[in-house]
Amino acid sequence: DTGVSQNPRHKITKRGQNVTFRCDPISEHNRLYWYRQTLGQGPEFLTYFQNEAQLEKSRLLSDRFSAERPKGSFSTLEIQRTEQGDSAMYLCASRGGTGGVLDTQYFGPGTRLTVL
Amino acid sequence: KQEVTQIPAALSVPEGENLVLNCSFTDSAIYNLQWFRQDPGKGLTSLLLIQSSQREQTSGRLNASLDKSSGRSTLYIAASQPGDSATYLCAVEGGSEKLVFGKGTKLTVNP
């Protein structure tokens, strides 16, 4: 069990460019979550997958944001036409199916996005 | 809408002191409450998870309590060490499986 991994760890981009982040959950975890954390704030929920189904999306997830989990394993989060306000740490977490809310969400190290 | 508040926002203590971090939440309809640790620029590490039916959980020098009816939780750290320096985040989970976090308490333990 290698934990949740995220790539890249850091991304610097210019305003207007598209970026894509990847999250690999703990193997056999069927639930996957994306959060965004800005400086001095706690993480805020973005979206949640159970297997390949996207079950909930936050209002924070504007039309420029899209997340996928095509085979129920890894997930990608894409931001189109980035804005300076998108600069944040993007965190991914996963959880096994059997424990449900009895178990914690295991977080990855995050991808720090800086939009210039 | 669930809101989570953590007090204090920052805390600086000498090594060896016992300390208490506070968390309050507005909606008592939760499945669980969790305490996480976050080191600068890093992800979150789960410290303790308290189910809604439980009153407290302990792990080593850490003890977390939950009073769901009053919407409060405390994290007690005994005999603090410089390695405990980090930001501590409280989060509650309701019916939608999303965690709602407070802004955290930044703890500095001075040698």
Side-chain angles (χ1 to χ4, degrees):
Chain A
D1 185 348
T2 58
V4 178
S5 62
Q6 294 187 244
N7 289 287
R9 295 291 310 279
H10 303 275
K11 179 71 176 179
I12 300 174
T13 191
K14 293 182 179 179
R15 188 178 56 183
Q17 298 294 306
N18 300 342
V19 294
T20 300
F21 311 139
R22 175 177 170 129
C23 171
D24 287 89
I26 293 172
S27 59
E28 299 181 359
H29 275 190
N30 65 343
R31 291 168 160 86
L32 187 147
Y33 311 82
W34 285 99
Y35 293 84
R36 180 172 71 185
Q37 185 177 27
T38 54
L39 201 61
Q41 304 294 314
E44 294 176 291
F45 171 81
L46 291 179
T47 189
Y48 150 54
F49 290 86
Q50 184 167 330
N51 300 312
E52 64 274 11
Q54 188 172 21
L55 296 188
E56 187 167 347
K57 291 172 60 174
S58 164
R59 294 173 203 171
L60 293 174
L61 222 61
S62 74
D63 292 344
R64 297 184 296 105
F65 288 72
S66 62
E68 293 183 341
R69 195 182 183 199
K71 297 183 180 179
S73 56
F74 73 91
S75 176
T76 58
L77 178 67
E78 180 183 16
I79 309 175
Q80 296 182 328
R81 305 181 304 282
T82 52
E83 302 173 356
Q84 288 184 326
D86 297 331
S87 295
M89 176 79 89
Y90 289 83
L91 294 162
C92 175
S94 71
R95 178 156 66 181
T98 54
V101 295
L102 299 180
D103 197 7
T104 188
Q105 295 180 19
Y106 296 86
F107 280 80
T111 294
R112 179 163 296 283
L113 173 66
T114 302
V115 181
L116 302 176
Chain B
K1 176 188 172 188
Q2 179 74 268
E3 293 183 359
V4 178
T5 303
Q6 291 188 245
I7 295 174
L11 184 61
S12 181
V13 300
E15 182 177 2
E17 227 178 69
N18 302 325
L19 56 99
V20 174
L21 308 182
N22 296 290
C23 172
S24 62
F25 48 97
T26 55
D27 185 350
S28 62
I30 62 170
Y31 285 134
N32 62 59
L33 181 143
Q34 301 181 53
W35 285 92
F36 290 88
R37 169 184 172 139
Q38 186 173 34
D39 293 288
K42 302 291 180 62
L44 279 63
T45 300
S46 178
L47 298 173
L48 291 165
L49 183 152
I50 312 176
Q51 300 298 336
S52 61
S53 58
Q54 298 174 325
R55 298 283 294 183
E56 66 177 340
Q57 283 286 335
T58 298
S59 176
R61 295 182 293 108
L62 305 180
N63 175 275
S65 67
L66 173 64
D67 184 344
K68 199 174 78 161
S69 61
S70 67
R72 296 174 188 269
S73 175
T74 61
L75 177 66
Y76 175 82
I77 302 177
S80 59
Q81 302 171 357
D84 295 330
S85 298
T87 295
Y88 291 80
L89 293 160
C90 170
V92 296
E93 181 168 0
S96 62
E97 289 209 32
K98 64 182 181 185
L99 293 174
V100 178
F101 286 86
K103 294 183 178 181
T105 294
K106 183 176 182 180
L107 173 64
T108 302
V109 181
N110 301 300

